[in-house]
Amino acid sequence: MARKNYSEEFRRQAVDLYESTPGATVRGIAEDLGIVRGTLRHWLEVYGTGKKTAVDGTLTSSPLQSKTTTTTSRSAPEGETPEQKIARLEARVNELEVETTKLTTEREILQRAAKYFGRGDALVSRFQFVADNSATFEVKRLCELVEVTRSSFYAWLQAAPARRARAQADADLAQRIRTIHAEDNTQGAPRITAELNDNAPAGGERVNHKRVARVMRAEGICGYVKKRRVRTTIPEPSGHKYPDLLKRDFTADAPNRRYVGDITYLPLADGTNLYLATVIDCYSRRLAGWAIADHMRTELVEDALRAAAATRGSLKGAVFHSDHGSVYCSKAYAKLCRKLGVTQSMGAVGSSADNALAESFNATLKREILQEAACWTDELACRRQVFKWLTRYNTKRRHSWCRYTSPVAYETDFTATLPTAA
């Protein structure tokens, strides 16, 4: 904290303000002027008249009149002997030495303080400065120079053990977060919070998601966020059209009632693609069925729907919602839907929002597997990584829709709440 340079006129005016203000105190005048009390006291010693105005307006002797004023008049006392003069001058020299030592100490303190005030929290830096230098200088003097109250400093000092305990607790939490994040670096604060709380020891304290987010920011830990988005849609204008039964309401009151699906491409390094077809339950976001192939023929979406039927046992009475892709508009797919008891539904042509749940699923899959990579190295690597992610998505990956449990666990909770027959 740099010390201000005050003109002599300012100093004299400050002294005059103190002496002419009825009932003024050094503390009050110093606060009004924005200076420390010690500085004002020094100016009163140098420029003061030794008088001040009392509350009733009368002039009285200043309680701050320094010994220097009373012992060093501008002219020597009458009848002063040489011995008395020597004694008076020696006393004056001693006073000046004390004042010089005081000013030198003050300058040294402020020089030491300068490096502390370039840190983030100025008030905490001042407290830390006083604590670090309390063995060398008087605490009262240190507090005056850095403009903090001693009571505040001692309160801060008393709270030091609690601060250290919180810092250690945050360090331990950061290590637990790193362990979870290392297993899946796509996880952000909400999913990591759910993982921490679910795996906490019996009777252990639950952690707040805001604290997890704060620690992750401080440690530079974050979930993966894709910087670009790729959208691919292939409509079929001549195919059979079906009404939109969902109207962008991607919810269901129970599993196996409503499904959405889509096809997304999986790019390979040699310039070719694999294709993934999905069937996603609107209740739990569970991937009930999927299929991967090197083509986009109708068999691809048929295999995905058959896989969903095998998972559920039956799809009778369910609604399946898709876009207007040619495979979903085909007669063969419509025939399979009728056979399985599935009612088809389609959004508007060219509107990704009408199938947002499936679009979001595809984007999440590519973002979390590929991250910054543009494609998979080869077909085998693609199939392995996608299979691993899809199975983990159902059984392990925490979903915000499922209150940060996995889709399978979310459905299990639903089953557990169903009333049992008497």
Side-chain angles (χ1 to χ4, degrees):
M1 181 176 64
R3 190 181 180 191
K4 295 181 179 178
N5 294 320
Y6 299 100
S7 65
E8 183 176 352
E9 181 182 3
F10 180 89
R11 299 175 186 180
R12 291 185 181 278
Q13 288 177 341
V15 171
D16 179 68
L17 179 63
Y18 168 76
E19 293 182 343
S20 62
T21 302
T25 63
V26 173
R27 181 190 185 96
I29 298 299
E31 289 179 352
D32 291 343
L33 297 177
I35 60 178
V36 296
R37 284 173 285 174
T39 300
L40 181 57
R41 287 194 182 95
H42 173 63
W43 292 352
L44 289 169
E45 292 174 357
V46 177
Y47 302 106
T49 63
K51 300 290 184 180
K52 73 178 298 290
T53 305
V55 177
D56 58 3
T58 59
L59 289 177
T60 61
S61 297
S62 172
L64 299 172
Q65 182 178 6
S66 81
K67 295 179 180 179
T68 303
T69 304
T70 59
T71 59
T72 58
S73 60
R74 295 187 180 277
S75 58
E78 294 182 5
E80 184 180 42
T81 64
E83 291 78 7
Q84 292 173 332
K85 182 177 181 179
I86 291 173
R88 176 173 58 81
L89 292 177
E90 286 179 347
R92 176 58 177 160
V93 169
N94 290 335
E95 291 172 357
L96 291 175
E97 287 178 347
V98 170
E99 184 67 24
T100 300
T101 301
K102 178 181 178 182
L103 293 175
T104 301
T105 302
E106 180 179 330
R107 182 173 61 253
E108 181 182 353
I109 291 173
L110 292 175
Q111 286 175 343
R112 292 191 183 189
K115 65 179 181 180
Y116 281 79
F117 301 122
R119 302 174 183 174
D121 191 324
L123 183 60
V124 171
S125 297
R126 295 182 192 190
F127 289 150
Q128 190 62 55
F129 169 74
V130 175
D132 292 346
N133 291 273
S134 58
T136 306
F137 304 103
E138 183 183 13
V139 170
K140 178 181 178 181
R141 186 62 178 155
L142 289 169
C143 290
E144 286 179 350
L145 288 175
V146 298
E147 299 182 347
V148 296
T149 61
R150 277 183 290 170
S151 60
S152 298
F153 165 70
Y154 285 122
W156 176 85
L157 198 63
Q158 189 175 10
R163 286 195 303 275
R164 285 194 295 269
R166 286 195 298 270
Q168 183 59 50
D170 283 350
D172 295 341
L173 177 61
Q175 185 57 47
R176 293 165 60 196
I177 291 173
R178 288 192 194 94
T179 301
I180 296 173
H181 191 260
E183 296 179 358
D184 180 3
N185 67 350
T186 65
Q187 298 184 90
R191 288 163 60 193
I192 288 180
T193 302
E195 187 75 21
L196 288 168
N197 288 329
D198 280 0
N199 294 324
E205 182 180 359
R206 293 178 63 83
V207 63
N208 185 278
H209 72 279
K210 293 181 180 179
R211 182 186 174 200
V212 173
R214 173 178 59 79
V215 172
M216 289 180 67
R217 282 195 302 270
E219 298 294 327
I221 304 172
C222 60
Y224 178 76
V225 178
K226 192 172 180 64
K227 299 178 178 62
R228 58 187 179 276
R229 181 181 178 184
V230 179
R231 175 178 175 269
T232 301
T233 302
I234 305 176
E236 175 51 59
S238 61
H240 197 286
K241 304 300 188 296
Y242 296 90
D244 186 350
L245 303 179
L246 269 58
K247 303 296 184 181
R248 300 187 182 181
D249 178 14
F250 304 110
T251 63
D253 55 8
N256 202 24
R257 300 284 179 83
R258 287 181 167 187
Y259 292 92
V260 297
D262 195 14
I263 298 176
T264 188
Y265 75 98
L266 309 173
L268 304 180
D270 61 4
T272 62
N273 297 314
L274 292 178
Y275 299 93
L276 169 68
T278 56
V279 180
I280 305 167
D281 195 309
C282 290
Y283 173 77
S284 63
R285 278 32 177 183
R286 180 177 181 176
L287 185 63
W290 78 86
I292 300 177
D294 58 0
H295 61 80
M296 288 182 61
R297 295 190 296 271
T298 306
E299 299 90 74
L300 175 64
V301 292
E302 288 179 331
D303 289 344
L305 193 63
R306 290 193 183 96
T311 299
R312 294 306 193 188
S314 173
L315 295 178
K316 187 175 181 179
V319 173
F320 177 78
H321 182 83
S322 67
D323 58 22
H324 283 263
S326 59
V327 291
Y328 293 117
C329 295
S330 67
K331 293 181 179 179
Y333 192 73
K335 181 179 179 180
L336 176 62
C337 288
R338 288 193 298 270
K339 178 181 178 181
L340 297 176
V342 174
T343 302
Q344 284 189 262
S345 167
M346 291 184 178
V349 176
S351 176
S352 61
D354 286 351
N355 201 21
L357 175 54
E359 296 277 359
S360 176
F361 176 89
N362 294 337
T364 300
L365 179 145
K366 292 182 183 180
R367 181 181 67 246
E368 296 193 357
I369 299 179
L370 286 177
Q371 299 190 14
E372 289 304 312
C375 59
W376 279 272
T377 55
D378 53 53
E379 180 178 340
L380 180 59
C382 177
R383 288 180 178 274
R384 285 175 174 173
Q385 292 176 18
V386 171
F387 175 79
K388 178 181 178 181
W389 189 91
L390 293 177
T391 52
R392 188 180 184 278
Y393 169 88
N394 276 338
T395 60
K396 296 287 290 183
R397 185 185 181 278
R398 296 177 183 274
H399 201 300
S400 57
W401 174 263
C402 303
R403 303 187 187 95
Y404 290 102
T405 62
S406 69
V408 170
Y410 191 68
E411 288 189 359
T412 302
D413 291 342
F414 171 83
T415 304
T417 59
L418 291 177
T420 57

